[in-house]
Amino acid sequence: MLSRKIPVRETILAGAIGLLLILAASRFSGFVAPANLANVFNDTAPLIILALGQMVVILTRCIDLSVAANLALTGMAVAMINVAFPDLPIPVIIALAIFLGALMGAINGILVWKLSIPPIVVTLGTMTIFRGTIFLISDGKWVNSHEMSATFTGFPRAEFLGLPILSWAAILTVVIFAVMMARTPLGRSIYAVGGNPHAAVYTGINVGKTQFFAFVISGALAGLTGYLWVARYAVAYVDIAGGFELEVVAACVIGGISIAGGIGSVGGAVLGALFLGVVKNALPVVNISPFWQLAISGSAILIAVAFNASAGRTKGRIILKSAEKST
């Protein structure tokens, strides 16, 4: 029954996105022009990438509040590397960004796995540490566009088949995660750990190790996004992407990723991110104040949480009925 609910939720969310587009088009028809929609998608691409990483963590009954700080630290690090070594090839920069992000994710994972510290406590702590580290390595200074090489800043903006590389990075990430979650042992382990960690142990799955890999994946995507973000906006500073971790978690929750773990899909996470992206871009077009933009996003989160709670109660009733029949 739950497997049938997820597509229904995604359909409702897609309908809500469609209504927002219609509302915006009623005031400004150019908003739904293909070129503008491509721009909206490109603006939302970093959120999509991070939401997929956060989805994996949440599915294992954890949470990663350090993703934005990871993004900022990695972005600052690769920007400083580019200033020092402007001829360093972009593939090397990207590999370094992913490695640094994965390393920070591994720190979170080790603390959760080996020391059994609650994930929210771990990632709140590392979030602060990562932000502090940015200040230490940069001495509080900015890295501006004139200091970065043209190749460094130009890569995410370069177009292929009409879309910037940043958009293609998000699309490729979606495809990889769709395959990973549906077709690989790791994907099945992630769902198993979140659905019932005690049963997962009996099937030979190492719960702590699976959660560790989830944090590493989330960190790697945060590192990748760190480079793409800094290169696209051509600036790196201490407070970059401040508070963005809350938007990432919101995208997951709106997309139907259950905070209790084990329930959610790649499509849901993507639609959740797109919903927030359209809200951010469409509502100003129809002259809706920033307060109402936040109110709409907050209401969507509450509705999604209520939907998850209702699904959980339904599952519980089904289990109880099955138990009564067996007795």
Side-chain angles (χ1 to χ4, degrees):
M1 180 172 288
L2 281 175
S3 61
R4 291 199 298 270
K5 283 183 180 291
I6 295 174
V8 171
R9 185 202 304 271
E10 292 174 357
T11 301
I12 294 171
L13 190 51
I17 294 171
L19 286 175
L20 284 172
L21 293 176
I22 292 171
L23 179 63
S26 67
R27 295 293 185 90
F28 174 56
S29 59
F31 188 85
V32 293
N36 189 66
L37 291 179
N39 288 334
V40 172
F41 181 81
N42 196 55
D43 287 341
T44 314
L47 181 57
I48 291 173
I49 296 172
L50 291 180
L52 289 171
Q54 188 74 247
M55 174 199 73
V56 172
V57 174
I58 292 176
L59 284 174
T60 62
R61 299 192 175 190
C62 296
I63 194 166
D64 187 357
L65 298 179
S66 69
V67 286
N70 184 329
L71 177 161
L73 177 52
T74 302
M76 176 60 79
V78 295
M80 294 177 69
I81 290 171
N82 175 249
V83 172
F85 306 99
D87 295 326
L88 205 61
I90 293 300
V92 175
I93 292 285
I94 293 174
L96 283 171
I98 293 173
F99 172 76
L100 289 172
L103 181 62
M104 285 183 268
I107 293 170
N108 289 332
I110 286 289
L111 293 173
V112 171
W113 177 19
K114 295 299 184 181
L115 299 183
S116 300
I117 304 174
I120 191 169
V121 175
V122 168
T123 55
L124 275 173
T126 54
M127 174 179 71
T128 307
I129 293 170
F130 296 160
R131 289 285 180 188
T133 304
I134 301 171
F135 189 86
L136 287 176
I137 66 173
S138 67
D139 199 26
K141 298 177 181 178
W142 291 33
V143 179
N144 294 302
S145 58
H146 68 274
E147 300 175 86
M148 302 176 187
S149 69
T151 305
F152 181 88
T153 57
F155 181 75
R157 307 174 192 179
E159 292 194 358
F160 175 71
L161 298 178
L163 285 177
I165 294 298
L166 176 58
S167 293
W168 283 112
I171 292 169
L172 181 61
T173 304
V174 171
V175 172
I176 291 172
F177 270 67
V179 174
M180 181 185 79
M181 299 306 294
R183 304 288 182 182
T184 67
L186 177 60
R188 290 190 289 270
S189 296
I190 288 168
Y191 277 112
V193 166
N196 191 329
H198 300 294
V201 171
Y202 288 111
T203 62
I205 296 173
N206 187 321
V207 173
K209 193 174 183 179
T210 302
Q211 292 173 334
F212 168 79
F213 281 121
F215 277 108
V216 171
I217 291 169
S218 177
L221 290 182
L224 171 63
T225 309
Y227 161 66
L228 295 172
W229 184 299
V230 166
R232 184 195 182 200
Y233 294 108
V235 64
Y237 54 95
V238 173
D239 295 325
I240 194 169
F244 198 61
E245 62 277 346
L246 300 180
E247 197 167 337
V248 174
V249 174
C252 291
V253 173
I254 291 171
I257 314 301
S258 174
I259 294 296
I263 299 174
S265 68
V266 171
V270 172
L271 286 172
L274 287 174
F275 175 83
L276 291 178
V278 171
V279 166
K280 193 175 189 179
N281 285 273
L283 297 191
V285 172
V286 295
N287 296 322
I288 294 179
S289 72
F291 167 78
W292 286 110
Q293 295 174 41
L294 293 173
I296 290 171
S297 298
S299 298
I301 293 170
L302 291 175
I303 291 170
V305 170
F307 198 100
N308 284 338
S310 175
R313 286 194 297 270
T314 302
K315 182 180 179 182
R317 285 195 293 270
I318 292 171
I319 293 171
L320 288 173
K321 287 179 181 178
S322 299
E324 288 173 0
K325 287 179 182 178
S326 64
T327 56

